[in-house]
Amino acid sequence: MSKTIRYTLLSLRDLVVSAGPFVVLAVTLLILAYWWLDPNPPKRVTLATGPAQSAYEEFGKRYADILKKDGITVDLLPSQGSAHNLQLLREGKADLGFVQGGTSTYGAEDAEALTSLGSLFVEPLWLFYREEGVRQAGKSKALNSLVQLQGLRINLGTDGSGVPSLMGKLLESNRIEATSLTITTLDQTPATVAFLGGELDAIVFASAPESLMVQMLLQTPGVKLMNFTQSEAYSKRFSFLSTVRLPQGVVDLARNIPPEDVSLVAPTTSLIARSTTHPALVQLFAQAGNVIHGPAGWFKDAREFPNRNNSELPISEEAGRAIKNDAPLLQRYLPFWVANLVERMWLVMGVIIAIMLPLSRIVPPLYEFRVRSRIFRWYGQLRDIELRSENEDSQTLLQALDELEGRAEKVTVPLSYTDELYALKSNIQLVRKKLMRS
């Protein structure tokens, strides 16, 4: 049994030594490919959201819950809003963020440093006003034009929200001077408190209908939502705006809120990522976006969002695939980390296999050469002894032959090569007979 084990271990050792360089090369290529592709993403990512109780904050929490299932921790970074999110992205303080269309003018540097995961939802411009405040200002009870805002106290939100910039463009298009309004730039929550307390006549949000503030104000007695009767004109004048309609009764069917259809203008909000954000994370966020923003809503049909429309930045390749297709096949049956590793390494693995297959043909001949060389190296000495028989004493050569035979007896080879070893021993005996005859 010990001899069998010895021969087996010997065969394995020869095989390992022969295939060693081949294995080392394959492992080295795999390590280099892994380092180059960096297939596994970091386990933490920062998402810039928005003010407290905003739709951005609510969506951020939903993204965090979905990615948590795949072992990714999403750190939610509160902000003043869309413009602030864009600033955080440009400064590298956030990996991803919600950015409203028309928030900024993008340059060539932004196209290289930032990428879009597609348009997620529309954010209507909600202009709420108090009926009492409007009546005290001598205005008509129903506001349907921005021109009617002159002389009113209105909050446009902080500069970081992007609403002041948007409203500035709309007011300018109506030839309304800022001095004709009493403008404040309070945060969303204190502005709402001041509005409900009678300190403001109107308040402007740009938010998805999921915003708690919007939901509350839509159902507050004495508060009305301005109907943008010129919404089609605004969408033609500004490429980042579209027209949406709030259907009658959609907020509360029993109380018929709103009592009639309301036309609104709405920029589209996208999820923007830094170009350095890991592709696997971009893919996960895009897939989560399909779940969160795919169902039908007040201003959209099912599967209308996310989409690639109205994008002001290049669409990420990973996001484009996720928007167009369902989750990859492997991710449906395997844990994300395993599926992601296979998906990002399979092409390189194919290249490595294509390189290593021809090289692998060297291993069998190399193994055979290594084993047989233990035997063949003694033939040189045997041939030398045979040639010396013509000039030297036979007794001396027989003694050298005995030493050679003793060393050959200690040679160990795998069982499949013992015929070569016995051939060596037979040839030693032939030379011995020749020396004894001379």
Side-chain angles (χ1 to χ4, degrees), residues 217-294:
L217 290 173
L218 283 171
Q219 302 180 65
T220 300
V223 174
K224 296 296 181 180
L225 177 64
M226 176 175 152
N227 184 10
F228 280 79
T229 55
Q230 297 173 307
S231 58
E232 289 287 346
Y234 284 116
S235 65
K236 300 299 182 183
R237 293 282 297 272
F238 300 98
S239 60
F240 53 85
L241 290 178
S242 58
T243 299
V244 296
R245 182 176 61 87
L246 187 67
Q248 177 181 346
V250 71
V251 178
D252 191 322
L253 287 170
R255 293 190 292 166
N256 194 32
I257 301 175
E260 58 185 10
D261 289 355
V262 180
S263 296
L264 302 172
V265 293
T268 302
T269 294
S270 301
L271 184 59
I272 305 300
R274 291 181 58 80
S275 299
T276 54
T277 303
H278 197 285
L281 289 177
V282 172
Q283 183 186 58
L284 279 179
F285 270 92
Q287 291 172 359
N290 290 336
V291 176
I292 295 171
H293 307 289

Side-chain angles (χ1 to χ4, degrees), residues 139-195:
K139 305 289 183 178
S140 171
K141 287 186 178 181
L143 299 186
N144 54 29
S145 172
L146 293 181
V147 176
Q148 295 173 289
L149 296 177
Q150 297 180 88
L152 298 181
R153 299 167 296 172
I154 182 169
N155 186 81
L156 301 185
T158 61
D159 291 334
S161 68
V163 176
S165 174
L166 175 58
M167 280 297 294
K169 295 174 183 177
L170 300 186
L171 293 174
E172 183 181 356
S173 67
N174 283 274
R175 296 192 291 275
I176 299 175
E177 298 291 338
T179 55
S180 66
L181 302 169
T182 302
I183 297 175
T184 58
T185 56
L186 299 174
D187 285 336
Q188 192 175 86
T189 300
T192 303
V193 173
F195 175 70

Side-chain angles (χ1 to χ4, degrees), residues 82 99-106 162 165-166 169 240 267-268 312:
S82 177
V99 178
Q100 185 184 94
T103 296
S104 175
T105 301
Y106 295 102
S165 174
L166 175 58
K169 295 174 183 177
F240 53 85
T268 302
E312 298 174 277

